[in-house]
Amino acid sequence: MVELADLKTVGQPNWCPGCGNFAIWHALKSAIVELRLEPHNVVIFSGIGCSSKMPHWVNTYGFHGIHGRPLPIATGARLANNNLTVIAVGGDGDGYGIGIGHFIHAMRRNLNITYIVTNNQVYGLTTGQTSPTSDKGFTTKSTPTGVIEMPINPIALAIASEATYISRGFSKEMKHLTKLIVDGVRHEGFALIDVLQPCVTFNRKNTYEWFSERVYKLEETGYDVTNKQAAFLKSLEWNGRIPIGLFYREIRPTYEDELPQIAEAPLVRQRIEEINITALMDEFV
Amino acid sequence: MENNSLSWKIGGEAGYGIMTTGFIFAKACSRAGLHVFDHAEYPSLIRGGHNTYQVRAEVEEVFSHVKHVDLLVALNKETIDRHKEELAPGGGIIYDGGKTPLSEEGLGREDVKLNSIPLLRLAEESGGRRIMINSVALGASVAFINFDFEMLSSVIRDVYRGKAKETIEFNIKAARLGYNYVKSKGMEEDFGRRLPKVGGKKRMLLTGNEATGLGAIKAGCKFYVAYPMTPASSILHLMAAQERNFSLVVKHPEDEIASINMAIGAGFAGVRAMTATSGGGFSLMTEALGLAAMTETPVVIVVCQRPGPSTGLATRTEQGDLKFVLHASHGDFPRFVIAPGDVEDCFYKTIEAFNLAERYQCPVILILDKFLSESHKTAEKFDVSGVKTDRGLLFSDEELERIEEFKRYEFTETGISPRAIPSQRGGIFTATGNEHDETGYLSEDKTVRTKMMDKRFRKFEQAEREIPEPKLFGPKEVEVTIIGWGSTKGPIREAMKLLDRDGIKANFLQIIYISPFPKNTVSEIFETSKRIVIVENNKTAQLASLIKEKTGKEIEHKILKYDGRQFFPTDIYQRVKEVL
């Protein structure tokens, strides 16, 4: 049985002290333990940014790719071997900026992938520029007079993009977040876990305190996770109170379910020696 | 009378089935046992605009199209205006005199025969629609060369398979009316060309893209992912059509960036994966190309060139991306670049590409172009008896269990490190686009960086020793050596036939592996050959400049074409003669 110690790697995270990513890291490892996943059957994919170094610090297979592209790489691996547990981790710049096209398309595909977005509303690794989720008016090095455009609303976007598991966590609520990750991995289909993750170095507005004053848990309000219209309305709440928890869940066949080619065995288990193309060549005669 | 050769061309407005009609004619010739080469020209439009399809059929093997036309089927006036100069003396035009009145004076050619056939009236008589004028023209064409009508109707049935029975029968009837019209008037008697039916083995008729797709399937490509882009799209269509027959997963994703990243993900997970695109799409892929190199993930990328920059000429041909694929993506890293020259090369080199990608754990680029991608050529069925699957150094589960500490990027003598794939116990590692140590862990250490760079290039040094030498066509002792790459192979081989007829001895060095570069063989040719010319379908002689970079030798005589059209054999023949 896998234990937390088994998930330890040689290196240690080099995030800033107090960074919200530490809690997400712990929650992810705890979820793997709780799910009793074998580390060699798990792959963590990431792009570029502070949070995208995550695969190096969890002792499972990992792929630390390029900015904004963790979902396409995860998709290829998932289709190659649908026995793998595929988890993607990226930041708001990575996932909601450069990678937003992939994000939307991955959701409508409903591949069995869990996607954790560590959303700190600022670019950390490039030293504090605006991100697609920065609040309007937020001042950064690249927007000294304040962000002019409206922020991306990942939850509303996910609902519109037909994702089948849509949730929001808060890195200060580690146990709650662990449960969201466990549920997300168990969910058959694409699971989004958007995590409010204060950047202690570059985001002086959306701090732990700022969030703590506002967040509340949806499950404590008798909320119905199967009502899409209600979920959309709920996704619009931000400046007064901020809901965390599961917004919406739907059971829909996954992309993999719709592929008879991999019903018997994953692609990676299919033999590639001695493929007979005689009949195919005959079609060209 | 039998001439054993014919160059036939059909032209008309886009949207009138020119492509299908041309293909049916080509396929009928192929079924008759003849060697065929065809090619189509079309603008980047769905309706309107001028399309042509040219078929060359001969008893002897043919390697490319030719400039002249023996029989021109003109579905509109524009076809006549644009192509009358291409008609060979004694050639003929099939056209609808009722729609397009025409006289020899008006044409300005007295040496060709005008064959007015009421295409539209016969199409309507067949019970079909106006569009069936092309089937009437097909039947008429077949009558001119004394072909078996049944041969044509069997091909029509096969090509239109899947359409309504009624549609198929109307087309056959339209063709029959065209055939009968020519025969009843004895029109074919004035036309001097006949094609014989030849017995023997049945050949395939396929494009470079189709041969590439067949090669990929045979090689065990299990995941094909591509965004449509001319002229690469037909690989996607072929793979998608075969998805369930061969248990492949074929994906058309949101863009080319997703395509290559998905292919890399699948390669990382242990599946043979391929993507294909043209220059614009490859531009988008270049960042991930470097990722494949840095993570040492096998991936095969097909680049079907068309003229650039930007959207350029979207449906025309050029070999303008060689330097681009050789240098694409930032940083120093090795990649294979292979340039097939014909359908056989496309098939066998695609299989080789998958083996090299896994053997050397790096990206492999196959570079084609529109002329090769979309022209059909007859080919013997591919001989798959010698095909081997080389998966390279892939640790088995048992081997991994015996290893104390698995190092995915271990420094080895060859530079190739044994690989593990997710799901293998004992093989856990993280692949990363960042520089990393032997385990895959992030590292900025200067010694590690240097050793890792050397390791990646060391495997390429080994590849340099292992790749096959370029192929030399023709005798060793010659007056002139022609060097070329990719689709110019066919026109060059045809030009050699013309030179030989004039008693000029020439040979042809085909560079298939461009990276790693076959330095020794190319250097030797400079020692043994009196005169060297290079033939390239681009403005700047990109291969010639690579040859200079690698061997220090400058090629003086460059035969270049960059108007968006491929070389005709006669272009090369004439220019080579000027050099002599």
Side-chain angles (χ1 to χ4, degrees):
Chain A
M1 189 96 67
V2 62
E3 291 176 25
L4 273 179
D6 299 325
L7 297 173
K8 208 169 134 49
T9 60
V10 179
Q12 281 289 315
N14 52 8
W15 294 310
C16 304
C19 174
N21 279 327
F22 283 103
I24 300 170
W25 178 51
H26 283 296
L28 176 58
K29 288 193 292 183
S30 305
I32 290 171
V33 171
E34 193 178 328
L35 288 159
R36 300 178 179 190
L37 299 174
E38 294 185 294
H40 63 275
N41 285 325
V42 178
V43 194
I44 302 174
F45 294 86
S46 70
I48 295 297
C50 294
S51 57
S52 288
K53 291 182 177 170
M54 191 77 80
H56 294 283
W57 300 315
V58 184
N59 192 34
T60 63
Y61 278 95
F63 197 112
H64 178 193
I66 45 179
H67 199 35
R69 318 297 169 202
L71 288 175
I73 297 186
T75 299
R78 173 74 197 163
L79 291 173
N81 186 352
N82 51 312
N83 286 343
L84 296 172
T85 298
V86 172
I87 299 166
V89 181
D92 43 315
D94 195 64
Y96 303 149
I98 185 168
I100 194 153
H102 305 310
F103 174 55
I104 292 168
H105 289 283
M107 289 189 283
R108 74 185 180 92
R109 273 172 207 138
N110 199 32
L111 281 139
N112 201 346
I113 292 174
T114 307
Y115 186 34
I116 303 168
V117 183
T118 70
N119 184 357
N120 60 15
Q121 301 168 267
V122 75
Y123 277 29
L125 203 56
T126 53
T127 71
Q129 300 84 359
T130 184
S131 106
T133 50
S134 298
D135 289 337
K136 186 168 193 295
F138 187 59
T139 59
T140 71
K141 286 182 186 173
S142 62
T143 52
T145 55
V147 175
I148 294 169
E149 61 260 71
M150 292 298 288
I152 294 269
N153 181 334
I155 304 294
L157 188 62
I159 295 167
S161 305
E162 307 289 351
T164 53
Y165 181 100
I166 303 162
S167 68
R168 179 190 283 145
F170 176 32
S171 62
K172 204 179 163 193
E173 296 279 352
M174 210 176 85
K175 276 197 175 148
H176 179 258
L177 177 60
T178 306
K179 188 174 181 316
L180 288 178
I181 298 174
V182 168
D183 282 356
V185 173
R186 280 197 183 128
H187 173 74
E188 297 275 325
F190 190 91
L192 169 70
I193 302 155
D194 177 74
V195 189
L196 306 171
Q197 176 250 328
C199 172
V200 292
T201 307
F202 294 110
N203 192 335
R204 307 286 173 166
K205 182 195 169 195
N206 311 102
T207 59
Y208 283 105
E209 295 70 34
W210 191 87
F211 282 116
S212 296
E213 284 166 13
R214 289 168 173 78
V215 297
Y216 70 97
K217 291 176 182 144
L218 281 171
E219 60 270 29
E220 291 171 0
T221 64
Y223 176 80
D224 175 9
V225 298
T226 62
N227 184 331
K228 204 167 191 170
Q229 282 179 321
F232 186 72
L233 277 179
K234 197 47 88 178
S235 74
L236 304 179
E237 272 184 35
W238 183 257
N239 275 324
R241 300 183 73 210
I242 299 175
I244 59 171
L246 181 60
F247 281 73
Y248 183 65
R249 176 165 47 204
E250 180 188 330
I251 304 302
R252 198 172 78 222
T254 64
Y255 193 88
E256 300 90 311
D257 289 340
E258 310 256 5
L259 298 173
Q261 304 94 299
I262 55 172
E264 300 265 312
L267 292 179
V268 74
R269 296 275 164 260
Q270 298 179 18
R271 275 183 63 78
I272 61 167
E273 293 81 12
E274 291 145 33
I275 289 170
N276 188 346
I277 60 163
T278 309
L280 181 54
M281 285 198 283
D282 285 340
E283 283 185 29
F284 288 91
V285 173
Chain B
M1 186 192 287
E2 270 185 11
N3 308 84
N4 299 347
S5 79
L6 177 82
S7 170
W8 175 93
K9 186 176 209 161
I10 184 166
E13 195 183 329
Y16 275 84
I18 306 291
M19 298 301 159
T20 313
T21 311
F23 177 67
I24 290 170
F25 188 79
K27 188 117 175 155
C29 293
S30 170
R31 287 250 177 106
L34 296 158
H35 287 273
V36 173
F37 189 97
D38 73 28
H39 85 292
E41 298 259 9
Y42 55 98
S44 187
L45 291 167
I46 301 301
R47 276 198 183 274
H50 185 60
N51 281 11
T52 67
Y53 197 109
Q54 190 167 346
V55 180
R56 183 182 173 207
E58 291 199 14
V59 173
E60 301 295 322
E61 185 170 10
V62 289
F63 303 106
S64 90
H65 66 326
V66 286
K67 200 170 192 169
H68 74 269
V69 175
D70 298 314
L71 188 58
L72 178 67
V73 178
L75 297 187
N76 60 7
K77 175 80 166 38
E78 190 179 0
T79 304
I80 297 169
D81 295 339
R82 281 179 182 249
H83 303 288
K84 61 183 179 186
E85 299 308 326
E86 296 163 15
L87 277 158
I93 304 177
I94 292 173
Y95 69 109
D96 192 332
K99 240 183 91 213
T100 312
L102 199 63
S103 65
E104 280 176 12
E105 299 79 58
L107 186 68
R109 295 271 313 248
E110 289 175 7
D111 57 344
V112 296
K113 173 83 182 150
L114 294 175
N115 305 288
S116 173
I117 295 168
L119 301 173
L120 185 58
R121 180 167 64 77
L122 295 174
E124 283 163 357
E125 262 177 40
S126 74
R129 289 173 301 127
R130 186 176 173 264
I131 197 169
M132 286 172 192
I133 55 172
N134 52 38
S135 289
V136 179
L138 262 180
S141 299
V142 162
F144 271 95
I145 52 173
N146 247 4
F147 240 46
D148 188 3
F149 184 79
E150 290 313 313
M151 180 83 73
L152 177 68
S153 62
S154 81
V155 174
I156 292 176
R157 268 181 229 283
D158 286 356
V159 172
Y160 286 136
R161 191 177 43 201
K163 293 206 187 250
K165 241 187 176 160
E166 220 180 23
T167 309
I168 299 173
E169 292 313 316
F170 280 149
N171 274 292
I172 291 175
K173 194 172 172 205
R176 170 63 81 180
L177 291 176
Y179 183 88
N180 288 350
Y181 188 89
V182 170
K183 288 288 176 191
S184 66
K185 308 251 175 208
M187 293 173 102
E188 81 279 16
E189 280 160 31
D190 285 344
F191 182 67
R193 294 195 167 263
R194 301 286 181 269
L195 281 181
K197 194 171 165 176
V198 184
K201 254 195 300 188
K202 290 278 174 267
R203 296 186 189 92
M204 300 184 289
L205 180 68
L206 78 177
T207 64
N209 276 359
E210 287 165 341
T212 302
L214 288 188
I217 289 171
K218 176 64 196 163
C221 173
K222 284 275 150 199
F223 184 59
Y224 182 79
V225 51
Y227 189 80
M229 185 173 187
T230 305
S233 305
S234 55
I235 305 177
L236 173 62
H237 304 160
L238 172 90
M239 298 299 275
Q242 299 304 326
E243 195 174 24
R244 303 217 172 156
N245 296 339
F246 289 94
S247 189
L248 327 164
V249 170
V250 176
K251 182 72 203 139
H252 160 190
E254 56 273 25
D255 54 36
E256 286 90 347
I257 298 174
S259 298
I260 186 167
N261 280 287
M262 284 183 184
I264 290 170
F268 163 74
V271 158
R272 289 192 158 189
M274 182 166 96
T275 183
T277 185
S278 185
F282 188 63
S283 292
L284 296 177
M285 292 183 178
T286 55
E287 188 190 22
L289 178 74
L291 175 67
M294 190 54 132
T295 56
E296 303 192 41
T297 306
V299 63
V300 176
I301 304 147
V302 185
V303 177
C304 302
Q305 300 165 99
R306 68 191 208 192
S310 192
T311 309
L313 304 175
T315 59
R316 308 289 172 179
T317 201
E318 199 163 279
Q319 298 181 313
D321 297 340
L322 179 62
K323 287 233 167 165
F324 176 40
V325 302
L326 285 167
H327 299 287
S329 203
H330 52 284
D332 285 330
F333 65 87
R335 83 286 307 271
F336 286 86
V337 176
I338 309 173
D342 55 24
V343 293
E344 282 87 359
D345 286 350
C346 285
F347 179 77
Y348 295 109
K349 295 304 162 193
T350 300
I351 295 171
E352 188 62 19
F354 280 97
N355 284 341
L356 291 170
E358 288 208 311
R359 184 170 167 75
Y360 294 100
Q361 302 173 15
C362 71
V364 177
I365 299 163
L366 285 159
I367 183 164
L368 280 65
D369 58 46
K370 185 259 177 184
F371 184 50
L372 176 57
S373 285
E374 295 193 345
S375 299
H376 294 87
K377 184 187 179 299
T378 38
E380 308 295 339
K381 280 190 210 164
F382 300 125
D383 176 11
V384 294
S385 60
V387 170
K388 289 200 172 62
T389 308
D390 180 0
R391 304 222 51 187
L393 294 175
L394 202 55
F395 269 140
S396 69
D397 295 349
E398 296 72 37
E399 285 169 325
L400 277 167
E401 261 171 48
R402 285 198 297 271
I403 292 167
E404 210 139 290
E405 196 201 353
F406 171 65
K407 291 177 176 170
R408 168 65 186 92
Y409 302 102
E410 190 177 358
F411 297 126
T412 59
E413 215 167 287
T414 57
I416 304 169
S417 321
R419 201 155 63 103
I421 56 169
S423 82
Q424 285 190 299
R425 209 184 283 271
I428 286 177
F429 74 101
T430 292
T432 174
N434 291 53
E435 191 58 277
H436 44 263
D437 65 15
E438 286 179 277
T439 67
Y441 194 72
L442 301 165
S443 174
E444 297 196 2
D445 182 274
K446 62 184 181 185
T447 314
V448 169
R449 164 67 178 178
T450 308
K451 286 178 82 169
M452 208 45 89
M453 285 294 277
D454 290 343
K455 169 191 130 63
R456 288 189 289 264
F457 277 90
R458 200 153 60 238
K459 53 183 184 177
F460 209 56
E461 286 158 20
Q462 167 153 332
E464 252 169 37
R465 294 189 291 273
E466 289 179 358
I467 54 144
E469 291 300 320
K471 201 167 170 189
L472 189 72
F473 293 85
K476 278 226 149 162
E477 298 283 314
V478 288
E479 289 165 70
V480 60
T481 292
I482 303 169
I483 298 181
W485 62 283
S487 73
T488 55
K489 179 181 185 180
I492 291 171
R493 293 186 72 185
E494 292 288 342
M496 285 166 72
K497 287 191 208 168
L498 300 174
L499 290 165
D500 189 56
R501 215 174 49 192
D502 288 0
I504 298 165
K505 278 184 151 183
N507 60 17
F508 162 46
L509 187 71
Q510 184 200 5
I511 317 270
I512 295 189
Y513 289 87
I514 301 183
S515 172
F517 187 78
K519 203 163 65 184
N520 296 342
T521 316
V522 176
S523 297
E524 273 164 33
I525 220 75
F526 282 91
E527 310 306 322
T528 55
S529 200
K530 277 183 253 173
R531 265 187 214 88
I532 293 176
V533 299
I534 194 152
V535 175
E536 293 190 63
N537 227 178
N538 61 48
K539 164 85 181 159
T540 55
Q542 298 188 6
L543 180 65
S545 116
L546 182 72
I547 289 172
K548 188 169 183 191
E549 178 192 323
K550 298 287 183 184
T551 68
K553 313 280 188 192
E554 171 86 36
I555 297 175
E556 193 187 335
H557 306 292
K558 300 180 182 77
I559 303 179
L560 306 173
K561 187 170 179 176
Y562 43 89
D563 59 1
R565 276 71 175 168
Q566 55 285 330
F567 281 101
F568 291 105
T570 43
D571 293 338
I572 299 167
Y573 160 74
Q574 279 156 5
R575 298 280 302 279
V576 168
K577 284 192 74 161
E578 284 165 23
V579 165
L580 290 170

